């Protein structure tokens, strides 16, 4: 069987031979025009393949939602069959589809009625991208709601997952991530201090480098850098793990056994990242301050004790706990994005890599959006 997949959210098209003379066109999934659909040229290629079929039929057992895009595709197949005088069996299709196809074939097309195909304009492309992002946000929010329902079962002990899996994921999200978090956040502190020192030296206010680094790291940069690191490291890993399980049909096996994949696979991952990112955020804050202290001691000749006292005077508990709260939210966003892309993974090995890439992009974009929202809200309430 040869399969053709347009995208993770659009319909799938595959072919089979019931016998040497009958070509079976199998329609799977949601066939929506806004997602992009396979071309009838794929069917034409199969009709020309040896041995050439003398009859065409359909398999629509796994066809779900559809719109006019499916009708356009089927009418294109109908035209191919008419040109080749090839009989087509439309009976396996849904009744509504058959009725519309019969109506389209009963009324002949007027000469010149079909518009010439033109290239998409910038506005059209922009509209398609906006619809795609809106659909992606809708999928994210739906999946987030399902995860929230699974979380509601956790306090009552009704969520089914293995505690050992949670411990393994916590180790991977926490202790195993210390190395990369140490390197990146320390360098961020060094960069912030260096850039601040260059400007503050002009006013003789170099001591305020401690304020700059301490406040920036505790309020935003510590949580943000930890989240971006975990999106690229752990979010992609979640998508790849769940994508591989989907390709090997392990997720379908869990469903068959009556075990919720959301509870068994997603819940421990979200919980682990929710618990570990706040700790990594505090660790990032300390490393950023240490990086600033290094620059202050070597470039500005500020004693370590003076630097730490100035940092302690500038940074408040509100700044620290605000950053920790942001980090916890970022952790949920990254975990949900990674698991969602894993569940949306296609059925091929290459789709696993695509899912991991999309998980990183989705996680980072949503984290930055959340950071902007937090900045606005915290400013309004005066934090």
């Amino acid at each position: 069987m040869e399969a053709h997949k347009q995208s993770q959210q659009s319909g799938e098209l595959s072919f089979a031979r019931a016998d040497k003379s009958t070509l079976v066109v199998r329609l799977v999934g949601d066939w929506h025009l806004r997602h992009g659909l396979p071309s009838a040229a794929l069917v034409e290629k199969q009709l020309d393949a040896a041995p050439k079929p003398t009859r065409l039929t359909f398999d629509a057992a796994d066809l779900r939602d559809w719109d006019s895009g499916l009708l356009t595709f089927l009418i294109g197949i109908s035209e191919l069959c008419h040109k080749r005088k090839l009989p087509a069996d439309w009976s396996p299709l849904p009744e509504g589809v058959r009725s519309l196809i019969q109506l389209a074939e009963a009324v002949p097309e007027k000469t010149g009625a079909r518009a010439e195909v033109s290239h998409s304009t910038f506005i059209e492309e922009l509209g398609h991208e906006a619809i795609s992002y809106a659909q992606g946000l809708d999928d994210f929010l739906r999946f987030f709601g399902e995860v929230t329902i699974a979380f509601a079962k956790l306090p009552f002990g009704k969520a089914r997952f293995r505690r050992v899996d949670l411990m393994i994921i916590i180790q991977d999200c926490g202790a195993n991530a210390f190395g990369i978090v140490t390197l990146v956040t320390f360098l961020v502190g060094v960069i912030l201090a260096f850039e601040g020192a260059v400007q503050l030296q002009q006013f003789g206010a170099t001591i305020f480098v401690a304020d700059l680094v301490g406040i920036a790291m505790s309020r935003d940069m510590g949580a943000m850098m930890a989240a971006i690191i975990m999106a690229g490291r752990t979010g992609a890993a979640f998508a790849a793990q769940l994508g591989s399980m989907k390709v090997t049909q392990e997720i379908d096996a869990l469903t068959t056994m009556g075990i919720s994949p959301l509870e068994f696979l997603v819940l421990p991952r979200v919980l682990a990242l929710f618990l570990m990112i706040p700790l990594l955020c505090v660790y990032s804050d300390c490393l950023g301050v240490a990086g600033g202290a290094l620059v202050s001691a070597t470039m500005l000749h500020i004693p370590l004790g003076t630097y730490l006292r100035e940092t302690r005077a500038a940074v408040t508990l509100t700044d620290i706990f605000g950053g920790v709260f942001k980090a916890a939210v970022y952790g949920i966003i990254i975990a949900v994005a990674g698991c969602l892309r894993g569940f949306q993974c296609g059925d091929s090995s290459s789709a696993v890599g695509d899912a991991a890439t999309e998980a990183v992009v989705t996680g980072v974009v949503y984290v930055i959006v959340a950071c902007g929202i937090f900045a606005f809200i915290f400013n309004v309430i005066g934090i």
Side-chain angles (χ1 to χ4, degrees):
M1 179 180 291
E2 183 179 356
H4 300 269
K5 186 170 183 182
Q6 186 71 12
S7 70
Q8 293 177 359
Q9 298 177 346
S10 66
E12 297 180 40
L13 174 67
S14 61
F15 306 96
R17 291 292 182 107
D19 50 54
K20 292 184 178 180
S21 61
T22 303
L23 175 66
V24 180
V25 180
R26 186 166 179 261
L27 308 174
V28 180
D30 298 330
W31 285 65
H32 291 294
L33 186 61
R34 65 177 180 271
H35 293 151
L37 296 174
S39 170
L42 298 174
V43 181
E44 184 177 12
K45 182 179 178 181
Q46 293 294 322
L47 294 176
D48 294 334
K52 292 187 178 181
T54 58
R55 181 174 174 270
L56 184 141
T57 186
F58 295 89
D59 179 3
D62 295 323
L63 177 65
R64 295 194 294 268
D65 294 338
W66 54 273
D67 59 12
S68 59
L70 175 61
L71 296 175
T72 303
F73 172 77
L74 293 175
I75 290 173
I77 294 179
S78 175
E79 293 177 354
L80 292 175
C81 293
H82 284 312
K83 290 179 180 179
R84 289 169 169 76
K85 298 181 179 180
L86 185 71
D89 180 15
W90 306 96
S91 59
L93 297 174
E95 182 179 356
V97 176
R98 295 198 308 269
S99 300
L100 291 172
I101 291 176
Q102 291 174 359
L103 179 62
E105 292 180 341
V107 180
E109 182 178 312
K110 294 182 179 179
T111 304
R114 184 170 301 188
E116 294 183 359
V117 178
S118 59
H119 296 288
S120 298
T121 64
F122 172 76
I123 299 299
E124 290 173 336
E125 293 292 339
L126 184 64
H128 287 308
E129 289 298 323
I131 292 173
S132 176
Y133 279 113
Q135 183 64 38
L137 179 60
D138 179 71
D139 293 339
F140 180 87
L141 294 177
R142 288 176 184 273
F143 190 76
F144 182 79
E146 294 174 357
V147 173
T148 303
I149 294 173
F151 253 105
K153 299 179 182 179
L154 191 61
F156 304 100
K158 296 182 179 180
R160 300 176 62 184
F161 63 89
R162 297 189 302 179
R163 301 305 186 265
V164 64
D165 290 343
L166 176 61
M167 294 299 105
I168 292 173
I169 298 170
I170 284 177
Q171 179 181 354
D172 182 65
C173 296
N176 293 349
F178 269 17
I180 184 65
V181 171
T182 300
L183 175 63
V184 172
T185 53
F186 181 80
L187 292 178
V188 168
V190 169
I191 293 169
L192 284 174
F194 180 78
E195 294 295 334
V198 171
Q199 300 301 320
L200 292 173
Q201 275 182 324
Q202 302 178 32
F203 307 98
T206 54
I207 187 61
F208 291 108
V209 168
D211 301 58
L212 170 66
V213 175
I215 294 175
M217 292 300 299
S218 60
R219 284 188 179 181
D220 284 303
M221 293 303 296
M224 174 71 71
M225 295 312 301
I228 291 176
I229 293 169
M230 298 308 287
R233 180 186 180 277
T234 306
F238 287 172
Q241 291 165 2
L242 298 182
S244 298
M245 295 180 70
K246 184 177 180 184
V247 171
T248 56
Q249 299 182 344
E250 294 177 53
I251 294 178
D252 295 335
L254 288 174
T255 305
T256 302
M257 292 187 293
I259 300 175
S260 170
L262 277 174
E263 296 177 11
F264 194 81
L265 299 175
V266 177
L267 194 57
R269 286 170 167 79
V270 176
L271 185 59
L273 212 51
F274 171 74
L275 294 175
M276 294 312 299
I277 276 204
L279 299 180
L280 292 174
C281 173
V282 175
Y283 182 66
S284 300
D285 295 344
C286 296
L287 265 295
V289 171
L294 176 64
V295 173
S296 298
T298 56
M299 179 179 176
L300 305 177
H301 307 291
I302 298 176
L304 178 61
T306 303
Y307 182 90
L308 294 179
R309 283 194 297 271
E310 184 66 23
T311 301
R312 184 173 61 183
V315 178
T316 65
L317 287 177
T318 302
D319 296 332
I320 296 174
F321 286 116
V324 170
F325 172 76
K326 293 177 183 179
V329 175
Y330 297 160
I332 295 176
I333 291 173
I334 293 166
V336 171
C339 294
L340 171 63
R341 296 311 181 193
F343 272 68
Q344 289 180 336
C345 178
D347 298 328
S348 64
S349 57
S350 62
V352 177
D354 296 337
T357 302
E358 292 178 2
V360 176
V361 174
T362 302
V364 171
V365 169
Y366 287 175
V367 162
I368 294 176
V369 170
C371 182
I373 294 173
F374 279 134
F376 175 76
I377 294 175
F378 282 21
N379 180 67
V380 170
I381 62 180
I383 296 180

